[in-house]
Amino acid sequence: MRSGTVAVIGRANAGKSTLINVMVGEKVAIVSPKPQTTRDRILGVLTREDRQIVFVDTPGVYLSRNELTKRMMKTTETTSTEVDVILFVHDGHAGVKDEDLELAKKYFDLGIPMLVAYTKIDIMPKEKIPEDAKAFSEAGVEADLYPVSARKGKNISALEQGIYGLLPEGDKLFQEDVVSDRSERFMIAELMREKILLKYDEEIPHGVAVVVNTFKRRENGTYEINLDIVCEKQNHKAILIGKQGRALKETASFARKDMEKFLDAKVFLTAYVRVREDWRDSAGLLKELGYGDA
Ligand SMILES: Nc1nc2c(ncn2[C@@H]2O[C@H](COP(=O)(O)OP(=O)(O)O)[C@@H](O)[C@H]2O)c(=O)[nH]1
Ligand SMILES: [Mg+2]
């Protein structure tokens, strides 16, 4: 039996969360085309007879700006030094820049066994892969590189085998039916946030937090969920709600469908929009909204 933790590191939008979801086989982390989709560290657990791989999804690497992104970066930094393996995820379709190589080298130099997942190969010319792989090795990143597509499920088992090869011997860290360390309540809030990320321009979702006030399973098996969408500005609130509440209704119904799929039950959802100015820079509010300690 081999088991261990794998920090999934890389730029915002590289495809880290998508890759974890496909390896774990269930949605443990939300995904969107916008940066700052993942704010918190989330564990995704893959268990087989001879292995348990605990993926640690990270918010990615950012240039710090506000207190929230600073915390997100710190989460990424501390995670990368406390694991058995580093999985560096690179968006192959975005090309290889000097900054990408420097970043990969920085993690490689930590001395923790590392591999590179070169992802999104479904939307790029395959001919580019060998030269990009060469660029990584010439930059001193002496880690095996796996071209994969999380979206198409391409080469995922090869990558899993590569990770397995780097894991230490050891017993399971989680029971075998566990796929995430996060509660259903957390996932419900995240699914709401995912739909907001998908529906609105960046400026709005980056200032949004979702707080679940009620999460109740009724006797007949249905769920009653009540949540607040916390935003930073009055005009954001107006946009989130929309004319005659239409926008909010649409987003909530989109989210509810995913919640029903996730919980495998009917959901009655009510969502309110509240304004809390500058919550991203207030230590007290960040804590209240569930974004850890500084
Ligand atoms: N075509 C393609 N798109 C992908 C793939 N993996 C992720 N994406 C997309 O890339 C965007 C960012 O993905 P996400 O997993 O949230 O990236 P993260 O910020 O690194 O966690 C989303 O729109 C995904 O649907 C892939 O293998 N192929
Ligand atoms: Mg992510």
Side-chain angles (χ1 to χ4, degrees), residues 11 13-18 31-33 119-120 122-123 149-151:
R11 280 191 191 292
N13 252 12
K16 300 178 292 299
S17 297
T18 309
V31 167
S32 94
T119 189
K120 306 196 193 180
D122 56 298
I123 47 167
S149 163
R151 184 168 288 174

Side-chain angles (χ1 to χ4, degrees), residues 181-246:
D181 66 324
R182 295 306 183 125
S183 63
E184 290 181 327
R185 204 182 174 106
F186 173 82
M187 223 19 227
I188 290 300
E190 287 287 274
L191 288 174
M192 185 75 234
R193 204 163 60 77
E194 182 182 59
K195 302 315 172 212
I196 295 168
L197 275 154
L198 293 172
K199 197 168 152 72
Y200 298 94
D201 284 341
E202 240 161 75
E203 197 197 343
I204 296 198
H206 287 176
V208 159
V210 175
V211 183
V212 176
N213 299 316
T214 312
F215 178 77
K216 215 161 58 195
R217 191 171 181 278
R218 294 177 180 149
E219 277 192 10
N220 63 5
T222 64
Y223 283 81
E224 181 187 331
I225 297 172
N226 166 289
L227 53 82
D228 282 341
I229 297 166
V230 180
C231 66
E232 286 186 321
K233 295 189 178 114
Q234 274 306 334
N235 66 321
H236 287 182
K237 178 173 173 174
I239 294 168
L240 281 161
I241 293 176
K243 263 196 193 132
Q244 294 173 322
R246 246 181 266 144

Side-chain angles (χ1 to χ4, degrees), residues 3-294:
S3 77
T5 49
V6 178
V8 183
I9 306 275
R11 280 191 191 292
N13 252 12
K16 300 178 292 299
S17 297
T18 309
L19 191 56
I20 293 175
N21 288 341
V22 72
M23 296 195 83
V24 169
E26 275 186 53
K27 182 162 178 165
V28 294
I30 62 167
V31 167
S32 94
K34 301 196 177 74
Q36 303 195 22
T37 300
T38 307
R39 284 180 176 165
D40 246 332
R41 172 162 43 187
I42 299 172
L43 303 186
V45 187
L46 165 69
T47 308
R48 297 191 199 284
E49 225 162 84
D50 60 346
R51 70 193 67 177
Q52 185 170 69
I53 308 176
V54 180
F55 294 99
V56 191
D57 195 4
T58 66
V61 181
Y62 290 96
L63 298 172
S64 296
R65 262 181 296 142
N66 56 42
E67 190 57 33
L68 176 62
T69 40
K70 268 193 225 153
R71 284 183 193 203
M72 285 162 49
M73 263 304 287
K74 201 171 160 218
T75 302
T76 303
E77 292 300 318
T78 51
T79 301
S80 61
T81 58
E82 293 167 354
V83 292
D84 297 304
V85 173
I86 291 178
L87 178 60
F88 186 86
V89 179
H90 176 75
D91 177 350
H93 150 263
V96 179
K97 299 182 197 72
D98 286 344
E99 301 98 83
D100 298 314
L101 299 171
E102 277 162 33
L103 194 65
K105 180 76 164 79
K106 181 185 126 184
Y107 287 106
F108 181 74
D109 285 344
L110 291 174
I112 296 167
M114 180 168 124
L115 12 81
V116 178
Y118 178 102
T119 189
K120 306 196 193 180
I121 59 165
D122 56 298
I123 47 167
M124 60 167 288
K126 309 275 171 297
E127 304 80 68
K128 280 201 72 234
I129 302 172
E131 58 185 90
D132 284 354
K134 203 163 142 230
F136 275 95
S137 66
E138 279 175 356
V141 182
E142 290 153 39
D144 286 339
L145 182 143
Y146 293 81
V148 300
S149 163
R151 184 168 288 174
K152 301 273 181 212
K154 265 239 150 55
N155 249 352
I156 300 301
S157 51
L159 176 62
E160 187 192 318
Q161 246 359 76
I163 295 169
Y164 175 77
L166 297 178
L167 287 182
E169 292 277 337
D171 282 334
K172 290 191 198 87
L173 304 160
F174 290 87
Q175 284 186 315
E176 48 212 39
D177 56 344
V178 171
V179 294
S180 168
D181 66 324
R182 295 306 183 125
S183 63
E184 290 181 327
R185 204 182 174 106
F186 173 82
M187 223 19 227
I188 290 300
E190 287 287 274
L191 288 174
M192 185 75 234
R193 204 163 60 77
E194 182 182 59
K195 302 315 172 212
I196 295 168
L197 275 154
L198 293 172
K199 197 168 152 72
Y200 298 94
D201 284 341
E202 240 161 75
E203 197 197 343
I204 296 198
H206 287 176
V208 159
V210 175
V211 183
V212 176
N213 299 316
T214 312
F215 178 77
K216 215 161 58 195
R217 191 171 181 278
R218 294 177 180 149
E219 277 192 10
N220 63 5
T222 64
Y223 283 81
E224 181 187 331
I225 297 172
N226 166 289
L227 53 82
D228 282 341
I229 297 166
V230 180
C231 66
E232 286 186 321
K233 295 189 178 114
Q234 274 306 334
N235 66 321
H236 287 182
K237 178 173 173 174
I239 294 168
L240 281 161
I241 293 176
K243 263 196 193 132
Q244 294 173 322
R246 246 181 266 144
L248 180 61
K249 230 178 256 165
E250 251 180 59
T251 327
S253 131
F254 188 18
R256 179 179 48 76
K257 287 191 187 115
D258 247 28
M259 293 171 188
E260 290 184 332
K261 212 158 79 188
F262 173 71
L263 296 167
D264 200 17
K266 196 159 172 51
V267 167
F268 295 89
L269 175 68
T270 44
Y272 294 96
V273 181
R274 284 198 295 142
V275 179
R276 307 281 293 261
E277 271 170 37
D278 299 327
W279 67 263
R280 280 186 290 176
D281 272 315
S282 150
L285 282 177
L286 279 170
K287 193 151 192 254
E288 197 182 308
L289 297 171
Y291 291 109
D293 296 316

